[in-house]
Amino acid sequence: MASFTMMHSSALLRNSTADTPAAPLAAAAEKSSCGVAMRQRRGVHFGESSEESFFGQSVSVGKPAAVAGCRTVKRSAVKAAATFDTKTKVAVVRIGTRGSPLALAQAYQTRDKLKAAHPELAEEGALDIVIIKTTGDKILSQPLADIGGKGLFTKEIDDALLNGDIDIAVHSMKDVPTYLPEGTILPCNLPREDVRDAFICPKYSSLAELPEGSVVGSASLRRQSQLLHRYPHLQVVNFRGNVQTRLRKLNEGVCAATLLALAGLKRLDMTEHITAILETDDMLPAIAQGAIGIACRTGDTKMEEYLASLNHEDTRLAISCERAFLAKLDGSCRTPIAGLAQRTEDGCLFRGLVATTDGKQVLETSRTGSFSYDDMIALAQDAGQELISRAGPGFFQW
């Protein structure tokens, strides 16, 4: 039986995953009756009545409600600092993550890799997954650019890490700001998934086939600007929510088509929805797209040891290169920026791009060098400086 901890101060929901089958996330989210509740869950705000369902377990916050096939925990019975039953073994590693299906898929991938690499972590109760709601999860009615600030999907998780509520934090690297909070490090990147974007459309087989005036839904300024640059006759609308929500909106006719990261669809085992895959020459990906990063507290040598065993060095170097380019540009969520570092037979190929939001101006550059940390950081910074010079004053001030 899975157990839970609620912490009023940081609004965390911990679900012990030692007994949770490592089945594909999509199956858990799509096929179980509780998975439906998970996909449609309302906000977790203590003081409101809401219900959360996580892989067959339901947590009711506020007035309790019965859910078929789910265990319901009454909010009034859980005090602010409630803990596991005293007989429950304390987890060796508490893994912090957002609660979306994709974020949970990434957390489960991390959990399974830790189990495989460290026998002591395969024991019952050794690993917990702690679900944390971030600012970006709570505000879905506005474009990310309008919410403002950096770390919209990471701040609350970073706070939990620094407060000792979790031991490691699993992030989509494209959500991680170029700076890390003091007291944390990010020493681990898992092997990178496919970096390309996917075109999804019920009626047409490619972007080129979309009729004039067709509406494409996307929350990404990077995608919007590149799309409008190539296809100025199309319209783009803000299209936020998790993968399942966006696909539902698409099927409801909110827009004619949408673009999603191929990596996320593969991790969710939902590639059957893909109409076409866009090559990087047609749609340069976001900085660090397809990469998972895992952070821990500075000086936590045990967690550093665990994470070192999972790190994929080629991915870490490529991501470091791309993030150096982003840092040089001092880009924000209001700036369409794309970049990709790849290993080639001769070393490293880096391509970078900045654009205006309407797609009328797109500036691109590329660099080659050795596939080594110092050279890759230097070439990325040089590429960024070139685009700053070419763009001129005011280009990045939206």
Side-chain angles (χ1 to χ4, degrees):
M1 178 75 66
S3 53
F4 295 88
T5 295
M6 290 186 178
M7 301 183 64
H8 182 79
S9 61
S10 54
L12 307 185
L13 293 175
R14 177 185 300 149
N15 174 254
S16 177
T17 62
D19 299 325
T20 305
L25 182 87
E30 296 294 329
K31 297 179 181 177
S32 73
S33 59
C34 295
V36 175
M38 184 187 74
R39 297 196 312 277
Q40 299 175 342
R41 51 183 211 277
R42 298 176 289 275
V44 179
H45 303 286
F46 291 104
E48 296 181 8
S49 178
S50 62
E51 189 166 271
E52 293 283 331
S53 179
F54 304 106
F55 300 96
Q57 298 294 326
S58 175
V59 179
S60 179
V61 182
K63 183 178 179 181
V67 178
C70 297
R71 172 183 169 89
T72 301
V73 179
K74 195 174 180 181
R75 168 71 182 98
S76 59
V78 184
K79 296 184 178 180
T83 60
F84 282 14
D85 184 273
T86 54
K87 296 180 181 178
T88 303
K89 183 177 179 180
V90 176
V92 176
V93 181
R94 295 162 299 167
I95 304 169
T97 177
R98 294 168 59 203
S100 71
L102 178 55
L104 287 170
Q106 295 175 166
Y108 279 122
Q109 181 180 351
T110 301
R111 178 203 64 180
D112 293 344
K113 286 181 175 292
L114 284 169
K115 283 184 175 182
H118 303 278
E120 71 273 20
L121 298 182
E123 296 180 7
E124 182 178 354
L127 295 169
D128 271 351
I129 287 181
V130 182
I131 298 170
I132 303 168
K133 199 139 193 173
T134 67
T135 301
D137 297 314
K138 296 172 186 176
I139 305 176
L140 297 175
S141 59
Q142 299 173 254
L144 292 174
D146 292 346
I147 300 174
K150 298 182 180 181
L152 293 172
F153 294 105
T154 59
K155 183 181 183 301
E156 287 81 359
I157 300 176
D158 291 333
D159 290 344
L161 183 60
L162 289 169
N163 292 336
D165 296 325
I166 59 176
D167 300 301
I168 62 175
V170 179
H171 297 296
S172 291
M173 282 302 300
K174 64 182 180 61
D175 294 334
V176 178
T178 53
Y179 63 89
L180 297 176
E182 186 176 354
T184 70
I185 57 173
L186 206 159
C188 176
N189 289 120
L190 299 185
R192 195 174 196 174
E193 192 37 280
D194 198 312
V195 302
R196 294 174 294 175
D197 286 303
F199 171 70
I200 302 175
C201 180
K203 189 174 180 181
Y204 300 99
S205 61
S206 70
L207 282 166
E209 290 185 15
L210 289 175
E212 182 173 354
S214 294
V215 176
V216 179
S218 175
S220 164
L221 295 183
R222 170 191 64 86
R223 292 186 181 116
Q224 291 179 22
S225 62
Q226 292 185 77
L227 180 67
L228 291 173
H229 182 69
R230 288 181 175 273
Y231 306 99
H233 61 282
L234 300 178
Q235 298 182 52
V236 181
V237 297
N238 184 54
F239 203 56
R240 289 197 56 206
N242 62 37
V243 172
Q244 289 81 355
T245 299
R246 297 186 202 193
L247 291 176
R248 175 178 55 78
K249 289 180 179 180
L250 181 62
N251 290 330
E252 290 172 354
V254 175
C255 58
T258 189
L259 304 177
L260 295 172
L262 178 56
L265 293 169
K266 292 178 75 171
R267 287 179 178 134
L268 289 169
D269 194 22
M270 297 176 68
T271 55
E272 71 275 10
H273 297 282
I274 296 172
T275 304
I277 296 174
L278 306 181
E279 296 302 324
T280 58
D281 288 340
D282 298 320
M283 180 68 67
L284 199 62
I287 301 298
Q289 182 158 307
I292 297 171
I294 311 174
C296 66
R297 286 180 293 275
T298 303
D300 190 337
T301 55
K302 190 60 178 177
M303 293 305 125
E304 288 184 42
E305 178 187 336
Y306 285 144
L307 297 184
S309 67
L310 305 188
N311 181 56
H312 187 257
E313 189 62 8
D314 274 15
T315 297
R316 189 187 74 84
L317 291 175
I319 298 308
S320 297
C321 178
E322 294 168 20
R323 284 165 58 81
F325 173 72
L326 182 63
K328 185 66 178 181
L329 295 172
D330 193 25
S332 72
C333 57
R334 289 185 176 275
T335 312
I337 297 175
L340 178 62
Q342 295 173 295
R343 180 187 277 278
T344 65
E345 292 182 359
D346 299 321
C348 173
L349 168 63
F350 173 78
R351 290 178 287 156
L353 173 155
V354 295
T356 54
T357 53
D358 58 10
K360 291 181 179 179
Q361 285 184 275
V362 175
L363 304 177
E364 300 179 72
T365 190
S366 64
R367 293 290 188 281
T368 58
S370 68
F371 203 87
S372 63
Y373 181 83
D374 289 342
D375 283 357
M376 292 169 74
I377 296 298
L379 66 85
Q381 291 175 337
D382 188 61
Q385 184 58 54
E386 178 198 329
L387 293 185
I388 290 172
S389 299
R390 288 169 57 191
F395 188 90
F396 298 100
Q397 305 301 317
W398 310 117

